[in-house]
Amino acid sequence: HFLPLRMGVRVLGSLGVIGTAVSRETLEAIGSLIATAIERAGAIEQLSKTEADRQSEQLRSALLDSVTHEFRTPLTGIKAAVTGLLSGTHLEPAQRTELLTVINEESDRLNRLVGNLLEMTRIDAGAIHLLREPCELQDLVGSALELFAERAKDRPIQIDMPPDLPLIPLDYVLMVHVLSNIIDNALKYSPVGSPIEIKADLQDDQVVLEIADHGLGIPEEDLGRIFDKFYRVRRPESVSGTGLGLAICKGIVDVHGGQISARNRPGGGAILRIAFPLEALKASPSVTSQ
Ligand code: ADP
C-alpha cells in the first residue's frame, strides 16, 4: 500500500507499507506524523543554514575590514619611503638608510600578514600537514629571532634554555611561524627598549617554552579569548593587527598535540606558554596529516 505524505496541499513523499495488518486510518495518522517531522527537520536545517551563512558573512566582512587596513598601512609606508628615495636627490646616507629600513620592515610585515592568512585558510580547511623532524628548541628560537634582527636590535633578549633539552619532533617551519607571531606580539605590545625573555624547560613530562615581555599585559578577562580568530584587545589603540596571529599559533600547536596559553607576569607584561607533552610527541607518527 502506498499513501502520500502530505503537509497541507504539498506532497513531501510517499509511504509504502508491506502487509495489511494496520488500518488505513492508522497509516494516515502515521503518515501525517512523518510529514510533520520531515517538515520540521527541513525548517531546522534551513534555519541553521541561514545562521551559518550570516556568521560566515560576518566573518568575511570582519576579515576584509582588518585585512584591508593591515595591507594598506605597510603599503602606505613603503610608497612614502620609495617616493622619498626617488625624489630626494640630496639625501644624507643616514636618511637613505632610514627610508630603506622602513621598506625592509614594512615588507616583512606584509609577508607575515600573507603568511598568516594562508596558514589560517589551511587550518580552517583542516589541511595542515605536519612534517615532523627532531628539532632543537634553541634552533627554532634562533630562526624566529633572526626574522626580527632589525626590529629587535634595541631589545635585550634573554634566552634561558638548559643545554640538555631533548630533541622534539616538530614541524620546523610551522613552529618558527608560531614563535614569530608570539615574538612579533611581544615587540608590538611592550615598550621600545624593554627586554624580552625566552625560557625553555623540562617540567614533569612536558617541554615548556615561555616568551615573556614587560608590556601592558593582557586584561584577565581576555586571557581565554585572545586565541579566538579575529579577537583583539584594542590596547593600546595605536597598535594595529588582525587578531589572527594567536589563533594560528593555537591551530598549529594543537595539531602538534601541545597546548598554548597566556598569563600575566607578576611584574607587568604577558607570558605566552607552549607545552608539548613528551608522551604525545612520542606517540605521533613522523608525518601526520589532518
Ligand atoms: P593581533 O593581530 O591583534 O596582534 P593576535 O591574535 O596576535 O592579534 O593577538 C590577539 C590579541 O592578544 C591582541 O590584539 C593583543 O591585544 C593581545 N596580545 C597578544 N600578545 C600580547 C602581548 N604580548 N602583550 C599584550 N597583549 C597581547
Side-chain angles (χ1 to χ4, degrees):
H1 296 276
F2 285 93
L3 78 157
L5 297 174
R6 285 184 201 282
M7 200 66 209
V9 286
R10 276 189 311 128
V11 177
L12 302 179
S14 55
L15 173 66
V17 184
I18 301 166
T20 53
V22 187
S23 71
R24 185 165 182 87
E25 288 74 33
T26 312
L27 277 181
E28 274 174 2
I30 293 172
S32 137
L33 281 175
I34 295 174
T36 313
I38 293 175
E39 185 76 359
R40 194 170 294 170
I44 290 171
E45 195 180 308
Q46 185 56 41
L47 211 70
S48 45
K49 192 177 161 327
T50 315
E51 178 57 20
D53 284 353
R54 196 185 60 78
Q55 278 184 8
S56 98
E57 194 45 51
Q58 232 175 22
L59 217 63
R60 208 181 333 232
S61 58
L63 177 69
L64 214 65
D65 273 0
S66 63
V67 166
T68 313
H69 175 76
E70 283 296 293
F71 269 108
R72 193 163 279 158
T73 317
L75 278 176
T76 311
I78 292 172
K79 174 77 185 161
V82 171
T83 311
L85 281 171
L86 287 175
S87 61
T89 35
H90 306 298
L91 287 176
E92 297 288 325
Q95 288 173 308
R96 290 181 68 83
T97 309
E98 197 177 316
L99 292 174
L100 288 169
T101 307
V102 169
I103 297 173
N104 192 26
E105 284 182 5
E106 295 301 293
S107 32
D108 281 349
R109 185 161 150 190
L110 275 180
N111 199 22
R112 231 180 350 264
L113 180 62
V114 174
N116 271 346
L117 287 172
L118 273 177
E119 224 49 76
M120 196 72 246
T121 321
R122 284 201 199 112
I123 292 170
D124 275 351
I128 294 201
H129 298 282
L130 293 187
L131 258 176
R132 289 189 193 259
E133 52 182 325
C135 298
E136 280 199 30
L137 278 189
Q138 283 92 334
D139 289 349
L140 275 177
V141 169
S143 296
L145 282 173
E146 253 169 46
L147 302 173
F148 299 93
E150 189 57 36
R151 242 174 94 199
K153 66 176 190 287
D154 66 339
R155 296 292 193 115
I157 310 247
Q158 291 151 15
I159 299 179
D160 175 11
M161 292 190 196
D164 55 348
L165 278 178
L167 292 176
I168 321 178
L170 300 170
D171 186 307
Y172 196 89
V173 176
L174 289 179
M175 281 311 297
V176 169
H177 195 72
V178 168
L179 297 185
S180 70
N181 274 331
I182 296 177
I183 295 170
D184 182 38
N185 280 345
L187 292 170
K188 260 171 37 174
Y189 297 108
S190 67
V192 174
S194 65
I196 290 175
E197 288 136 22
I198 303 178
K199 194 170 90 174
D201 219 346
L202 199 56
Q203 292 177 9
D204 301 327
D205 50 358
Q206 43 187 12
V207 180
V208 175
L209 179 70
E210 290 191 339
I211 296 157
D213 62 61
H214 291 240
L216 279 175
I218 302 160
E220 288 295 319
E221 64 274 19
D222 293 307
L223 281 174
R225 302 195 57 192
I226 52 170
F227 298 97
D228 293 351
K229 217 178 344 173
F230 300 123
Y231 193 82
R232 301 203 65 220
V233 188
R234 300 198 183 279
R235 204 184 71 146
E237 277 287 334
S238 54
V239 177
S240 68
T242 54
L244 281 179
L246 288 183
I248 289 165
C249 294
K250 179 163 167 42
I252 295 174
V253 171
D254 279 356
V255 180
H256 278 90
Q259 287 122 27
I260 183 165
S261 59
R263 67 181 195 278
N264 284 310
R265 265 183 82 245
I271 304 180
L272 268 289
R273 177 182 197 268
I274 301 176
F276 290 113
L278 289 176
E279 239 358 84
L281 294 170
K282 244 187 268 160
S284 312
S286 63
V287 176
T288 317
S289 58
Q290 273 220 343

